[in-house]
Amino acid sequence: MLANIFSTLLLGLIRLLTGAQARWYGCPPKAEQRIYFANHQSNADLVMIWAALPSELRSVTRAAAAKDYWTKTPLRQWITTKVFNVVYVVRDRSEAADPLIPLVQALESGDSIIIFPEGMRGQQQDPLPFKSGLYNLAVKFPQVVLIPTWIHNIQRVMPKGEYVPVPVLCSVTFGAPIQLEDGEDRRAFLDRARLAVMALRDV
Amino acid sequence: MYQFLKNLSTNQQIAALFVTVFGCLAVASLVLFLLRLRLDHRNDHDSVYAVRHRADLNNAEGVLNTSWLMTGVFWLAWMAGTGVAVVLFGLVSFFCLREFISISPTRRADHRSLILVFFIMLPLQYVLVAYERFDLFSVLIPVYVFLAIPVASVLANDPHGFLERNAKLQWGIMVCVYGMSHVPALLLLKFPKYNHKGAFLIFFLVLVVQMAMLTQHLVSRKLRLRPSLPSISQSFNWRSWWIGVVVGSSIGGLLAGITPFVPGQAFAMACVACVAGSLGHLVMKALKRDRGVPIWREENGSVRLAAITGAGGLLYRVDALCFAAPIFFHSVRWYFDLPR
């Protein structure tokens, strides 16, 4: 109940500040199982995609969120579990367990997921090289559709270290699905995926 | 007819005005719908004529949709009273400024200045309108904010592109906030023997400016005149501009009955507003060109920006009004020597 009210308010606020426009450029908004992989420039990225998705897809699409950042305070933890329904992932590899396990579980239960294969927030113009999580998931779940996604302008809304967002129009562009080819090399696939994301910058 | 209208109460007169305007818009929408139907029934879908005609219709539909939206906003504003009118125009300002900032790249160091502009200065300007503090309202942005923005910026400790960044912000707030806030301020001007009729003044201003812009657009399109300033605008031509201003001003003269002016004064005031509005629009076009944006919404090559802005190029539709309103407002106040 409280989560519903909060998410309605939050959606209104995000639309007022950024327009939260979704551009379905290479694929329609469709309720099939998908992995959206996007550039990462701000902690608000997952909020932005969450707001841009239509409500039918929002309930079955879960974003990957860094566990250390998003569970630091009770408020953050409440928002990410109750409102965004994220999948927590561990960023540092010190723990022995495979960091992909929570994502694999989400996919096995039939949800779509949103991942940021750069692994951390990029400060440069171009996204950082992609980490191999995307490749491993693509191998494990060949039937899941891989959608490249470009988030535009969000880093201007709330740069690192600021607390008050400013209004700037943002958009989320969803591109044409890509597939893992037979026998395609890990690095080649990841580079191709990165280029597919970057290509959406100029459409 | 004229006597009948004159004997109505102010509210009834304004209501009659809205009925007339909504009626005209409905007729225009119907005509457009029929034209589109006729075009769809032709067999030559890809001929040069059909393509050009379709583009014309799309264009006209854009203008018509804006007119519906604006009239709707004005109607709501009038129904709900001055306070709500001020809030509505404040929101329009907010969306325009959001659009302006989105096309001018800012740096991280501008963040605090942007917060100042959006969340403090913009509401403050409209609060001053609502409370009729015209002395402070006229100088808040050109005097106080003019200094406040670079100070907020310098405190961020980043000299890179300092002048350019601050100039952009100041331009944004001047056009989108200062200019736009003069429209609701017209509601509050106090003419002797012309009480609570500010709505007519807004209607007068919007109508003459929009008519001048529309005429200018149609004339240059029909006569296929050569652009006078091709590097800035593909449609601007001095002859069509001149015709547009004359048509707008004449409509103003004819509408003298609903304003506190006599016909000569109405013509002159409309002329001032049309010149300011159409040239202001041209200035905004130059600004867009500088940013590498060919045209805000209409033609290809700008698909990307139209998509990013989402709002569909609101600023492009209202920028003429943003330039016309302050000049109209201050000319009227100065000429009639209105009390503060």
Side-chain angles (χ1 to χ4, degrees):
Chain A
M1 182 61 190
L2 189 59
N4 277 337
I5 296 170
F6 184 81
S7 74
T8 310
L9 288 178
L10 187 65
L11 265 182
L13 182 69
I14 293 169
R15 291 202 176 123
L16 184 69
L17 289 177
T18 70
Q21 212 205 2
R23 305 167 61 206
W24 296 92
Y25 179 74
C27 62
K30 190 169 144 196
E32 59 186 2
Q33 201 179 13
R34 285 173 167 175
I35 297 176
Y36 300 94
F37 55 100
N39 57 325
H40 197 23
Q41 292 185 296
S42 154
N43 280 323
D45 278 340
L46 74 95
V47 186
M48 191 67 212
I49 298 195
W50 172 82
L53 286 172
S55 57
E56 313 86 85
L57 297 189
R58 200 177 298 140
S59 55
V60 295
T61 309
R62 305 177 63 192
K67 189 169 188 177
D68 52 308
Y69 178 82
W70 285 108
T71 55
K72 199 175 264 170
T73 65
L75 179 67
R76 276 185 205 169
Q77 183 153 19
W78 180 79
I79 290 173
T80 43
T81 47
K82 295 292 180 198
V83 181
F84 300 141
N85 189 21
V86 301
V87 183
Y88 293 116
V89 289
V90 181
R91 270 193 290 200
D92 58 72
R93 300 294 298 265
S94 58
E95 294 171 44
D98 181 358
L100 287 183
I101 285 174
L103 294 170
V104 170
Q105 282 166 350
L107 285 170
E108 276 168 350
S109 67
D111 288 329
S112 296
I113 59 168
I114 302 164
I115 56 172
F116 303 100
E118 291 170 72
M120 61 173 89
R121 282 174 284 165
Q123 298 293 326
Q124 267 70 48
Q125 283 273 300
D126 291 341
L128 301 167
F130 281 6
K131 298 201 168 160
S132 46
L134 176 64
Y135 173 83
N136 294 338
L137 290 174
V139 170
K140 209 169 235 166
F141 297 92
Q143 81 287 0
V144 177
V145 183
L146 307 173
I147 310 276
T149 305
W150 179 265
I151 305 169
H152 181 77
N153 251 356
I154 186 73
Q155 73 285 5
R156 288 178 64 193
V157 174
M158 191 138 73
K160 215 172 176 175
E162 295 286 345
Y163 296 98
V164 183
V166 298
V168 175
L169 290 162
C170 303
S171 62
V172 181
T173 310
F174 300 97
I178 66 164
Q179 268 139 18
L180 179 61
E181 305 294 339
D182 281 338
E184 190 174 7
D185 175 56
R186 173 193 303 259
R187 194 68 254 163
F189 171 75
L190 291 173
D191 288 342
R192 194 160 63 86
R194 179 169 169 268
L195 287 177
V197 169
M198 283 163 65
L200 298 172
R201 184 163 53 184
D202 301 315
V203 296
Chain B
M1 179 73 181
Y2 182 71
Q3 276 308 318
F4 169 71
L5 284 175
K6 196 148 186 155
N7 289 335
L8 291 174
S9 72
T10 308
N11 267 348
Q12 285 169 326
Q13 285 173 347
I14 297 178
L17 182 72
F18 273 115
V19 170
T20 318
V21 175
F22 276 123
C24 292
L25 285 175
V27 170
S29 289
L30 188 67
V31 169
L32 202 67
F33 176 71
L34 292 177
L35 282 176
R36 199 173 277 275
L37 217 59
R38 202 184 65 173
L39 189 70
D40 287 348
H41 275 89
R42 288 171 62 101
N43 293 324
D44 52 344
H45 273 284
D46 302 317
S47 71
V48 178
Y49 170 81
V51 168
R52 190 179 157 83
H53 207 69
R54 197 168 296 128
D56 277 347
L57 286 185
N58 286 342
N59 217 319
E61 194 174 301
V63 174
L64 202 62
N65 285 345
T66 322
S67 312
W68 272 109
L69 182 80
M70 278 173 139
T71 321
V73 169
F74 291 141
W75 182 67
L76 270 180
W78 173 65
M79 290 285 283
T82 314
V84 177
V86 171
V87 173
L88 276 175
F89 281 101
L91 274 177
V92 173
S93 260
F94 179 87
F95 289 128
C96 287
L97 189 59
R98 190 179 75 166
E99 205 173 311
F100 187 96
I101 296 299
S102 300
I103 61 161
S104 13
T106 50
R107 286 168 65 82
R108 211 197 149 306
D110 293 324
H111 199 78
R112 297 283 161 83
S113 325
L114 286 171
I115 291 172
L116 176 77
V117 164
F118 271 106
F119 298 123
I120 297 172
M121 290 311 169
L122 190 153
L124 184 57
Q125 175 78 356
Y126 281 90
V127 165
L128 292 176
V129 176
Y131 288 94
E132 305 184 37
R133 302 300 303 267
F134 287 137
D135 38 0
L136 186 54
F137 155 82
S138 318
V139 295
L140 175 75
I141 288 174
V143 176
Y144 295 93
V145 177
F146 184 77
L147 182 66
I149 290 176
V151 167
S153 202
V154 82
L155 294 181
N157 191 26
D158 177 6
H160 190 90
F162 190 79
L163 180 61
E164 199 184 332
R165 278 161 41 211
N166 284 292
K168 267 178 208 147
L169 263 175
Q170 276 166 357
W171 260 88
I173 196 170
M174 269 312 268
V175 173
C176 304
V177 180
Y178 189 74
M180 190 46 92
S181 66
H182 280 78
V183 180
L186 286 173
L187 281 173
L188 307 167
L189 276 183
K190 289 194 176 51
F191 290 92
K193 290 190 229 154
Y194 186 76
N195 275 335
H196 309 300
K197 290 194 188 179
F200 282 127
L201 221 51
I202 293 189
F203 174 77
F204 175 83
L205 173 69
V206 174
L207 188 77
V208 297
V209 171
Q210 288 302 97
M211 285 320 258
M213 301 297 295
L214 190 66
T215 313
Q216 185 187 343
H217 180 80
L218 290 178
V219 167
S220 80
R221 220 183 154 80
K222 275 282 166 231
L223 300 185
R224 302 193 190 184
L225 297 171
R226 273 218 325 228
S228 301
L229 308 166
S231 312
I232 288 174
S233 161
Q234 286 303 315
S235 59
F236 184 82
N237 175 283
W238 283 115
R239 184 138 57 110
S240 63
W241 175 78
W242 192 82
I243 296 172
V245 169
V246 169
V247 168
S249 314
S250 309
I251 290 174
L254 290 175
L255 285 174
I258 66 163
T259 66
F261 317 134
V262 298
Q265 291 168 339
F267 182 88
M269 285 301 167
C271 188
V272 168
C274 291
V275 170
S278 51
L279 293 182
H281 186 68
L282 200 60
V283 169
M284 289 307 275
K285 273 195 171 162
L287 237 80
K288 282 179 285 177
R289 275 292 159 98
D290 180 33
R291 290 292 325 121
V293 182
I295 285 147
W296 228 296
R297 200 174 94 113
E298 291 176 315
E299 280 157 41
N300 45 11
S302 63
V303 187
R304 182 180 150 77
L305 189 88
I308 296 167
T309 52
L314 179 66
L315 185 54
Y316 175 76
R317 298 284 180 207
V318 300
D319 54 6
L321 196 59
C322 292
F323 280 89
I327 294 189
F328 180 75
F329 179 92
H330 287 288
S331 310
V332 168
R333 261 192 61 183
W334 169 77
Y335 185 80
F336 291 94
D337 199 15
L338 296 178
R340 300 204 157 209

